[in-house]
Amino acid sequence: MLEEVIFRGVLIGKLARRTPTWVALIVSSALFGALHLRSIAEWPLLLNYGLVGLLLGALYLLSQRNILVPISVHVAWNTMGFVSS
């Protein structure tokens, strides 16, 4: 939940006041992706994690900035990963 509040609620919110919304979405997604890398050896996964951030950010914006939408999807995503491993 904290990741969603930070990356969607705070970061997109603050950046979108100063830049076009699409720029805020891209920056937030890239930072989200970078945060999920556990080591420099995982850099090829940056695109995957960034795309997940892009999806969550787009859901946030399309839901008229309802933070519960990306939180719900993120929880479901993490739960599926946990259950499948």
Side-chain angles (χ1 to χ4, degrees):
M1 286 177 29
L2 184 60
E3 286 181 357
E4 293 308 316
V5 170
I6 291 170
F7 287 100
R8 268 39 96 187
V10 175
L11 191 56
I12 287 178
K14 288 189 182 277
L15 289 173
R17 287 188 203 113
R18 299 179 183 158
T19 65
T21 303
W22 68 269
V23 171
L25 178 59
I26 298 296
V27 170
S28 172
S29 300
L31 291 173
F32 178 84
L35 175 80
H36 284 81
L37 299 179
R38 294 181 208 154
S39 71
I40 195 69
E42 289 188 348
W43 73 267
L45 296 174
L46 180 61
L47 180 61
N48 292 348
Y49 292 132
L51 288 174
V52 171
L54 189 69
L55 169 70
L56 294 169
L59 289 171
Y60 172 68
L61 293 171
L62 291 170
S63 69
Q64 299 179 6
R65 299 180 186 229
N66 181 348
I67 196 67
L68 294 177
V69 173
I71 286 173
S72 299
V73 173
H74 197 152
V75 167
W77 187 286
N78 287 348
T79 301
M80 287 187 310
F82 179 75
V83 169
S84 68
S85 64

